[in-house]
């Protein structure tokens, strides 16, 4: 395979902010809740955060005033209506029609819910250090969410320009669950080829996540730091060429030192310019220390090859958007694949397939 992406940037320039005292250390079960009703047991409203033991006041970078509504987003998991095909054998024979079809995730069905408003808006990094914490209803503007504890749950959070990072400590902070989260570019942000992935590194589950307008999407990494399995489901990522291109190798999902990866009902697009090309919407190569892949429901669009896989695994219900590639629809080490079912399709503006152009046996150009 050509065009190998660069290594994971696990401790980039933003993590240096910790030494400057710009991080909020959440050392108790102090969390940011939904806007309706009273706080559940063990949780505290955002307005009272500074009064809790072990919590550093957030300073001028934070506000507990509700700010403007984000773009409307539906919150439910994708339901089964008519597109895509169920699993089939390795050679792409006709699928079993008894299995419900897929509604592919798109910007309207992922991310923070429609009408959502944050309880707090921050312009400085937020660091979570208490295992089992729940982070809800926060907007971070050009700031990172740094997860330095295990079993953290992140729900209804919007990051404009920042990243979610769970490998800032000597070992990976596994058990991270990210649900109904939106990650877009920040106001006034100049994107660059060296920008961090939107989410890294491993040991996390991403569910109904929207990544849009970022140079790098989901990173599957940290195996050498004991990062566990990554599961990405019911999520959407549209990765775009950075403003300052440099040596860019952008991907929707990339494995580098990657633990096992599970992908279920995910849409990935690589939107590149003629002068700044990325790698692929899905890229899990052989020579970057990766492990294995299980794909069951993946729609890919754009790039040199929209789907690139050179590690063991199974691939079912893969859909490649017709004519969106530069070189070919797939680049796969087929001898390592235990199950295969794929097709080339056309899609509408909502990413739902409108026509199956042809079946796509493994190894077919």
């Amino acid at each position: 395979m050509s065009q190998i992406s660069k290594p994971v940037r696990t401790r980039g320039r933003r993590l240096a902010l910790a030494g400057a005292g710009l991080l909020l250390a959440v050392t108790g079960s102090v969390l940011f809740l939904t806007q309706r009703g009273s706080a559940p047991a063990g949780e505290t409203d955002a307005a009272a955060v500074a009064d809790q033991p072990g919590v550093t006041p957030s300073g001028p970078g934070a506000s507990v005033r509700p700010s403007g509504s984000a773009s409307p987003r539906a919150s439910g998991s994708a339901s089964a209506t008519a597109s895509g095909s169920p699993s089939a054998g390795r050679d792409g024979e006709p699928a079993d029609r008894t299995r419900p079809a897929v509604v592919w995730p798109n910007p309207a069905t992922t991310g923070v819910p429609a009408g959502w408003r944050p309880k707090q808006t921050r312009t400085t990094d937020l660091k979570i250090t208490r295992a089992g914490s729940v982070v809800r209803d926060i907007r971070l503007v050009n700031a990172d969410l740094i997860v330095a504890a295990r079993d953290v749950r992140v729900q209804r959070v919007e990051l404009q320009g920042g990243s979610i990072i769970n490998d800032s400590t000597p070992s990976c902070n596994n058990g991270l669950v990210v649900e109904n989260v939106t990650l877009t570019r920040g106001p006034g942000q100049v994107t660059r080829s060296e920008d961090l992935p939107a989410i890294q590194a491993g040991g996390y589950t991403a569910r109904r996540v929207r990544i849009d307008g970022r140079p790098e999407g989901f990173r599957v990494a940290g195996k050498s730091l004991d990062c566990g399995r990554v599961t990405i489901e019911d999520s959407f990522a549209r990765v775009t060429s950075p403003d300052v291109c440099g040596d860019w190798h952008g991907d929707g999902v990339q494995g580098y030192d990657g633990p096992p990866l599970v992908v279920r009902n995910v849409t990935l697009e690589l939107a590149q310019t003629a002068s700044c090309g990325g790698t692929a919407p899905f890229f899990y190569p052989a020579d970057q220390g990766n492990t294995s892949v299980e794909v069951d429901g993946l729609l890919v669009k754009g790039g040199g090859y929209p789907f690139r896989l050179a590690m063991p695994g199974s691939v079912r219900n893969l859909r490649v958007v017709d004519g969106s590639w530069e070189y070919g629809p797939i680049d796969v080490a087929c001898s390592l694949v235990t199950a295969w079912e794929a097709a080339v399709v056309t899609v509408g503006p909502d990413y739902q397939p409108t026509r199956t152009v042809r079946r796509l046996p493994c190894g077919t150009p």
Side-chain angles (χ1 to χ4, degrees):
M1 289 188 178
S2 61
Q3 201 174 20
I4 300 300
S5 285
K6 293 181 287 188
V8 183
R9 305 172 190 92
T10 56
R11 290 165 182 82
R13 52 187 171 79
R14 289 198 183 104
L15 295 186
L17 294 175
L22 296 179
L23 303 178
L24 173 63
V26 179
T27 55
S29 55
V30 178
L31 312 170
F32 307 92
L33 308 183
T34 60
Q35 293 173 266
R36 295 186 178 88
S38 59
E43 297 184 348
T44 305
D45 190 277
V49 165
D51 298 329
Q52 301 305 310
V55 179
T56 304
S58 53
S63 170
V64 296
R65 297 190 307 273
S67 54
S69 174
S71 300
R73 299 283 173 255
S75 60
S77 175
S79 59
T81 61
S83 74
S85 304
S87 306
R90 188 171 166 247
D91 295 327
E93 58 267 18
D96 177 5
R97 300 292 177 182
T98 63
R99 177 181 167 187
V102 174
V103 171
W104 298 99
N106 58 55
T109 63
T110 53
V112 294
W116 174 84
R117 289 176 180 268
K119 295 285 285 186
Q120 184 184 106
T121 295
R122 294 183 54 86
T123 57
T124 55
D125 292 352
L126 176 64
K127 185 174 184 179
I128 310 300
T129 59
R130 171 81 178 231
S133 294
V134 179
V135 183
R136 289 180 182 151
D137 295 319
I138 297 179
R139 174 179 289 148
L140 293 104
V141 180
N142 292 322
D144 293 329
L145 175 58
I146 301 172
V147 177
R150 290 177 174 256
D151 302 320
V152 171
R153 187 175 292 268
V154 179
Q155 298 173 322
R156 300 188 306 270
V157 170
E158 182 183 62
L159 291 96
Q160 299 179 1
S163 298
I164 299 176
I165 302 164
N166 77 332
D167 63 339
S168 64
T169 56
S171 62
C172 196
N173 293 290
N174 290 313
L176 172 64
V177 178
V178 181
E179 297 175 309
N180 290 107
V181 168
T182 298
L183 302 102
T184 60
R185 65 186 296 161
Q189 179 188 14
V190 176
T191 58
R192 302 176 185 275
S193 58
E194 63 268 22
D195 285 355
L196 292 173
I199 301 178
Q200 69 174 51
Y204 67 85
T205 295
R207 187 175 295 125
R208 296 181 300 277
V209 170
R210 176 192 170 209
I211 299 172
D212 210 344
R214 305 289 292 270
E216 194 74 29
F218 297 98
R219 184 61 55 85
V220 183
K223 182 179 67 175
S224 60
L225 295 175
D226 298 321
C227 284
R229 178 186 302 272
V230 170
T231 299
I232 305 170
E233 56 189 13
D234 299 332
S235 294
F236 171 86
R238 177 165 46 203
V239 170
T240 60
S241 300
D243 301 319
V244 181
C245 188
D247 186 22
W248 183 55
H249 301 286
D251 311 272
V253 171
Q254 179 189 168
Y256 192 100
D257 187 31
L261 168 63
V262 176
V263 174
R264 299 191 187 101
N265 192 36
V266 171
T267 300
L268 302 172
E269 179 180 3
L270 177 62
Q272 58 188 7
T273 64
S275 60
C276 188
T279 301
F282 183 90
F283 186 46
Y284 202 82
D287 49 2
Q288 294 190 172
N290 295 315
T291 308
S292 63
V293 167
E294 176 189 332
V295 173
D296 192 359
L298 176 62
L299 177 75
V300 288
K301 178 181 179 182
Y305 296 93
F307 185 81
R308 301 182 66 180
L309 173 63
M311 296 302 295
S314 60
V315 179
R316 298 178 173 89
N317 201 16
L318 171 67
R319 297 295 173 262
V320 183
V321 176
D322 188 35
S324 66
W325 57 81
E326 185 175 356
Y327 306 121
I330 58 173
D331 179 16
V332 177
C334 297
S335 63
L336 300 177
V337 178
T338 58
W340 177 269
E341 191 277 315
V344 175
V345 298
T346 59
V347 298
D350 60 354
Y351 294 86
Q352 306 312 305
T354 56
R355 182 171 66 94
T356 297
V357 176
R358 59 185 169 99
R359 291 291 176 190
L360 188 61
C362 196
T364 301

